[in-house]
Amino acid sequence: MKSRLFLAVSAACLVAVAFPVPAEVPETGAAGKPPAEAAGKPASLPDTYRSVSLGMDMETVKEKLLGDGMFGYRGDRDVSLLPFANRALIETVGPSFIRRSWFQFLEDKLYVMIFSLDPERVDYYSVYSSFVAKYGEPASLDPARALWTDERVTLSLERPLTVKYVDVAAFDSLLDADTTGKAASDVLREEFIREF
């Protein structure tokens, strides 16, 4: 009995030596202050990925993409005009962690960035865990996506592995215009039906 107890204590000591518990070292940011995450306050949602920011004009985005090999941007052949007024799209194919990316413009301003990540290099749970550590728990969570939002930006992580940044003000203006358009079309529809 004593030999079993001795073996158990010895094994526990070996595990403690082989796998020590790391000491908690407080992180510090600029001027030695802890970052917002360490203080328990989530960071504000980003409106920029690498050097591309929501709200940039198309020419600036093109310059930024040309200077960043992560996106594989090849110039104007990656740009399409969408069949909606004042909308354009840049689509790129990336050589690494990002398989494809889309940059959508409304009236020459970037309002949506979409990144389809390579699941062989990055996994959903790692990205989700990183977002929770930085921005706190998502405002909405379901099997298809996790959504973080504030008054400026909506950030979503969608399955299988897509990250989206959306300019809230631009998106809301599109929704309002779409609702107004639908209301007008409903009135026209009703008038058309009454003509019979």
Side-chain angles (χ1 to χ4, degrees):
M1 182 71 162
K2 286 183 183 180
S3 63
R4 285 186 187 166
L5 180 60
F6 176 75
L7 286 174
V9 171
S10 297
C13 289
L14 284 173
V15 169
V17 170
F19 304 102
V21 176
E24 290 193 28
V25 178
E27 296 181 47
T28 57
K33 295 180 183 175
E37 306 90 69
K41 179 182 173 192
S44 61
L45 294 178
D47 63 355
T48 303
Y49 178 69
R50 296 180 70 85
S51 61
V52 181
S53 299
L54 295 173
M56 282 183 169
D57 63 82
M58 184 180 288
E59 288 306 314
T60 304
V61 171
K62 288 178 185 179
E63 289 172 17
K64 300 291 185 183
L65 293 177
L66 279 171
D68 191 335
M70 179 69 78
F71 299 109
Y73 178 65
R74 303 166 299 178
D76 282 341
R77 64 183 164 188
D78 292 333
V79 179
S80 305
L81 295 177
L82 298 176
F84 308 102
N86 300 316
R87 294 195 215 172
L89 173 76
I90 296 176
E91 180 180 358
T92 67
V93 178
S96 183
F97 295 101
I98 298 175
R99 289 192 315 189
R100 296 184 88 81
S101 46
W102 296 267
F103 301 88
Q104 295 181 16
F105 296 84
L106 175 65
E107 297 175 359
D108 196 44
K109 297 293 181 195
L110 180 63
Y111 79 102
V112 176
M113 297 187 287
I114 304 171
F115 306 103
S116 175
L117 308 183
D118 184 348
E120 293 182 11
R121 295 174 176 250
V122 182
D123 65 281
Y124 181 92
Y125 182 73
S126 294
V127 177
Y128 175 82
S129 298
S130 174
F131 282 10
V132 169
K134 288 180 187 174
Y135 314 120
E137 292 297 324
S140 170
L141 178 65
D142 61 48
R145 72 178 182 171
L147 188 74
W148 291 261
T149 190
D150 63 20
E151 66 282 347
R152 302 172 311 108
V153 179
T154 295
L155 176 65
S156 71
L157 174 61
E158 301 176 4
R159 291 188 187 270
L161 195 48
T162 301
V163 176
K164 291 182 182 177
Y165 295 77
V166 180
D167 181 312
V168 170
F171 189 72
D172 286 348
S173 73
L174 282 175
L175 285 179
D176 290 344
D178 188 45
T179 304
T180 302
K182 283 184 181 178
S185 68
D186 289 345
V187 169
L188 291 174
R189 180 178 172 273
E190 291 299 319
E191 288 178 8
F192 172 75
I193 292 171
R194 272 182 271 171
E195 289 177 355
F196 287 103

